[in-house]
Each structure stands twice: as C-alpha cells, then as structure tokens.
Amino acid sequence: MHLFRKIVFSVILFLAFFNVIAFSESGYRLWLRYDIISDPVLLQKYRNSIRGYIYSGNSQIINVAKKEIMKGLSGLLGSEIPEISKIKNESIILAGTPADSKIILSLKLAEDLKTTGEEGFIIRTVKYRKTKIIVISANTDKGILYGTFFFLRLLQTHTDISNLNIIEAPKVKVRILNHWDNLNRTVERGYAGLSLWDWDTLPDSLPERYTDYARTNASIGINGTVLTNVNANARVLTLEYLKKVAALANVFRPYGIKVYLTARFSAPIEIGKLKSADPLDPEVINWWKKKIDEIYSYIPDFGGFTVKANSEGQPGPQNYNRSHADGANMLADALAPHGGIVMWRAFVYDNNIPEDRAKQAYNEFVPLNGKFRNNVLIQVKNGPVDFQPREPFHPLFGAMPETNVMPEFQITQEYLGASVHLVYLAPLFEECLKSDTYAKGNGSLVASVIDGSLFGNNITAMAGVANTGNVENWTGHPFGQANWYAFGRLAWNPYEKSETIADEWIRMTFSNDSDCIEPIKKIMMQSRENCVNYMTPLGLHHIMYAGHHYGPGPWVNRGRRDWTSVYYHKADSNGIGFDRTTAGSDAVSQYFSPVKDIFNNVETCPENLLLWFHHLPWDFKMKSGKTLWEEICIKYHQGVNAVRQMRKDWDLMKGCIDSQRFEQVRELMAKQERDATIWRDACILYFQTFSRRPIPAGLEKPLHPLDYYINHKYSDIPGIK
Ligand code: GCW
C-alpha cells in the first residue's frame, strides 16, 4: 500500500476504535456499507485469506459481481484487493461457473451443483496446489452474483471464513417487490417520500440510485420488481411509458432483476379504444396479445403482470360476468409464449355481499381451484382481512392444492405505525410462514405451500409491498430497512428465523459489537408484539383511523360498513369481538381441522387471536385470572410501557452507532411513545363507554377525555394526511 494511504488508514482505524469521532451516516448505504472490519485481528485474518480474486466469465452479471467484490473487499479490508489473472501461491477468491473456469471444472463440483439450480451457489474452501483458495461457483452467472453477495455478508458479519462449505439455493422462484407507486410519483401507503421512479426524466436520466436499488435487492436475492401500483393506471402500458420501463429494466438486468407491471383490466378500453375489456372477446384477447408482444419487443425478459381485479373498485372480469380464472388465463395465455407470469390477487371483498369480509376471498377462489393456467399464481395476503398487526394466516393457504398460491406481505407499515414506529416485521412474516395449515395433515406449513413442496407446484413466488421512497435513507425509519432486508431473506428461505435475520442486519447496518447487537436485537424482536399490544391486542383488528390508518379510530362507524371499525370489534354493553365461530360467521370452517377446532373453541383459541374469533363478555375470565376488560387495559398499558423501555434501551446505544442515525431513531421513538399512548388511551376510553367498568387500579389514567382523541389530527407524520 502507498505510504500516505497507509498512514491515513491507520489514523482512521485508531479514531474509530476509540470512538473519537462520531461518524454521521445518512443510511443511504443500507446494509451494504462495507466499512472497514473493526476487529484488527479478524481484519488481519481476512487479509491473509484474500489476496486477490479471479472472476471467470464475461457477462453483464459477472461484471457487476466483479464490481461488487472489488467495492466490498476494498471497503471491508481497507485497501484495494487486486484482480489477478493467474493463481500463483496466494490465497484468493476464485469465482465462476464450471463452464467458464477450467480450474473450477477440475474441482468436481458437479454433484453439489445439481442441487443449486439456476440461482444457487457453492462457497467452499479448497486446496489448490499448495494454497487454500475460496471458490464461489454456480450453474449460472446469477448464482455467482448471489454467491458474491453472500460471501461479502460473511465478512460483514465477521464470520470465520477459514473453512467454508456453503451450499445455498433459493426455495422460492420469484422473489418480488410490489411498489404501490403511481405515475405522478405519489406512493399509495408510502411513507418515505416520493416514488423511486422519476417517470418524468426517464428514460434519459438514470441516476445512481436506480443501480443501488438493484444492487441492494440482489444482495438479498430479490429477483423481480413490480414498478407500479396495483390500483393501476393503464398509461404505463403505452409506448411512451414502455420506453421508460425498458430503461429501468436495462439498469436492473445485470443484477438479475426482472421488471413487472400492473395490468389495469380495462386497459383495452382506456388506451386501446375498444368498447369492452371482456376477457372472452376475441378483439380484447387480440389486443392484449399485441400489447404483450410489444412489451417484449422493448423488454425481452419482461416478467409479467400483477393484477388487482374486481377489488375496491378496480375493473375486472366480473364486470362481464366472467370469472377470475377467465381474466387471469386470458393474460396468462398471451404471456406464456414469452415466459411471462400473472400474479392475480385474491384480495377481493364486496360490501354488497352480506358475508364476513374475512371469508370472501376464500369463497370466491376455492371453487376456481385447478382452473388457472400454470403460469398464473394467486397472490394472497398473509391474513384474511388486511395486513393487520396480527391476523391468523389466510385460509386460502393450503386450500387450493391444484393452483399456484403465493403470499403477499406488506413491508410498508400501513397499519403498523408508518415510518414513525419501530416495528420489526420479520416475526409477523415468520408467524404466518410457520403456521400449520394441516392441509395434508400435521406439518403442512404455509411455508411448504408457498415453496411448492406440499403440492409440487411448477412455479412459486413471494411478494412484499415495498417501503421504499426517495428519502435519503430509502425507508424513512432507519429500522424500516430491516423489514426490506427481512422480506428478501425470507423470500429466499421462508424457514429462516427472524432472529437470525435481525442479527445479520444489525451487524451489517450498525455494529458487530455484541454489546450493541444484543440490546438492538432485543428491541427489534419485541417490537411487533409491543405494537400489537398498544394498537390491537387480543385479536382486535381494523380499528384504525379511517383513511390513513395511522392512529386509532375504534369509533369509526360511517361509510362503507366493511371499512368501519365497529364492523370489526362489535363492542356493545355485553362484550366485544367478532364471532367467527361455527355459531357466528363460521369463518373458522375455512380452516382445516384441527386448526378450525382450536380457533372455534374459546378454551383453545390462542388468546392473541381471541377477539378475532370470539365475541366475549367483558367479564370473561382470561388465563391470567383477570377479566377480559382488565386484560384489554393491561395489554394496552404493556404496549406503551414496552415502548418506554425501548427508548431507555436505545439511549444506551449511544456510541454504538453514528450520531446521525442514533438521534434519528431517538426522535422517532419519542413520537412512537406519544402515539402509542394515544392509541392506548383512545381505545381504552372508547371501549369503556361499553364496558362501563373502571380502569384497573395501578394503571395510569388517560391523559385526555375521549373527544380529544376523536378530534386528534396526525399532522407531523410523513405520508399521512
Ligand atoms: O390495505 C388496503 C390499502 C389500499 C390497498 C389495498 C390493496 C393498493 O388500504 O391502499 O390498495 O389494500 O391491497 O389492494
């Protein structure tokens, strides 16, 4: 190393170790920070094991993999690591497919590579001549790219790399973000600024952020992105916009990311000037075929469509008395010759149907089981109502064995505190994925439905509604980044543990110091339960402020019945909760036994879903010995108290991380406590108008009368009007 650089480098190291300078950091780099390894012993070990790298192959993907390893290594090891052309005696990284590298071919990885498919990889320490080298190999260049990011993660998380033997392959094929982004750059349920896609300046201007978006996604294995809102605008399918979409696709392609769009079902009328959008009308069929051919002429690897049809006012096949299968299959047939897919959403419910909203998707879709083409997936939200802080898993998982079913999780926190509340969502995702549907008996986990192993599906996918925007740190709340990260990791492996994911993310995002990791992990792991407690404990749901869903609104009783809160909590002088038992709406019967029976029986129903399935008297005896009313009050208080504790725990993290992100989180936590308290007091006071019982002794009294909360406005919350 150049002497001058050596000196500068040593000084920085010294300062960093003694925490003399409070680095400030915007969060833009997410978990790909690649700052120098902070442990000097480990740093030296890594340097000894990595003296150069060779990447065989010459594709766009290999080139970006090479760029990444260069960037990653020079940052993490603090000096440039040379790309070399021949192995002499040094420890190096050798990356490539057996087809591209003779040395790798000679290593006889063929057996193992049979298990890694199109996107998996092997990372292995092998002896080559007299020295140990690290091999990253795969069947495809994409596998090499994923292997590269995985390898860098090992360094970022301070893992021992002296004897590696890793074989990884994604369990889900399409791992995709759904952006609810509009063409005017507003983002539906977006709390992090404007859309990342600047349609106005596309296709000519391609800021670095587009590339960083692709890199970041590739680093966690995300391989698809739906650019536009499911509440779709047909204009994105016009030539003017297709050129812009193609420009983005060109940026994303080297990172293995395919572009998808939302298809507005009435597009043939709106932009095609046809009279109808009937999926069985030959003119309509032909219009879509031509349109799709045109899309592929600009974007040869276009992924396909996500469709919201006959839901919340969106047009769909039912406008023509056709079924969801008729609509989906029409699009699927036009996409099939190009290898495209349709992700058809099952988020359907109708206020005019006098049926429990939680039952409607199942009722509409189960009769269509087996009627969809095999390039169609039915995209099902994790729970039967709508991304609540806690819901039971959606009964459609396991109920359509001859249909491809994929889950949709919401990464953006529509119902969990927007970009103000620290809520780590992986435990919520994990709870759903690990639920046993019993579709084929014990052990039929949701994860096994969606990874295709339970029913042997030909195509599998997982979608997450993105929380990204154009704010500097991408997600608004610094911890919102963890939810993006966790989604990607769970899409790659739906059996992964949320705690493991948190650990990785903290190490890469904040610090590898265990004094920092453990407290931050504790904060993260409890955060979802805290949120459930101060918003919707014991199975309560959908009692948010009408419209923006940020604050409490249990009193909401106007407008569409199935959008009111009173429809969901059903509080009255006798009690509270939605009776979905066999004696009530019978939603429980959409689950396989024994899940059905467990939920149906008040004795066995998990208390955290009690009021989802049961309407119970205020004096109902809980397991704790308290009455239901008392327990509700206690839970709301527990939620707020936990936020207070979290603030204290966070304060101790000063010095663990840079001051900028530390302070930002600190300020957000103060708001979170303020608004969690509003949730607590508003809900308790409102429910008390029915229970007519005192708030149990020892609990804090509400700060204001109920009216104050009813009239409260949330003026300082990003994205909330
Ligand atoms: O959760 C609801 C949201 C809508 C959203 C809809 C959906 C995109 O409030 O904003 O619309 O779900 O998932 O289609």
Side-chain angles (χ1 to χ4, degrees), residues 55 61 97 107 114 119 179 304 344 350 397 436 441 447 454 542 557 572 632 667 686-687 703:
Y55 269 64
I61 298 192
T97 62
L107 295 175
K114 274 189 197 147
E119 299 184 293
H179 290 273
W344 191 271
D350 185 346
F397 295 117
D436 197 341
L454 194 68
H542 215 302
N557 62 2
D572 55 26
I632 289 175
E667 281 163 23
Y686 171 77
F687 291 132
L703 295 172

Side-chain angles (χ1 to χ4, degrees), residues 541-565:
H541 52 285
H542 215 302
I543 54 171
M544 289 73 188
Y545 199 100
H548 62 55
H549 300 161
Y550 177 79
W555 47 81
V556 173
N557 62 2
R558 293 215 193 114
R560 257 182 83 151
R561 183 187 55 113
D562 54 358
W563 284 352
T564 63
S565 302

Side-chain angles (χ1 to χ4, degrees), residues 419-435:
S419 56
V420 173
H421 297 217
L422 190 165
V423 184
Y424 176 49
L425 294 174
L428 185 163
F429 303 160
E430 189 183 356
E431 188 171 290
C432 168
L433 291 166
K434 300 238 169 98
S435 297

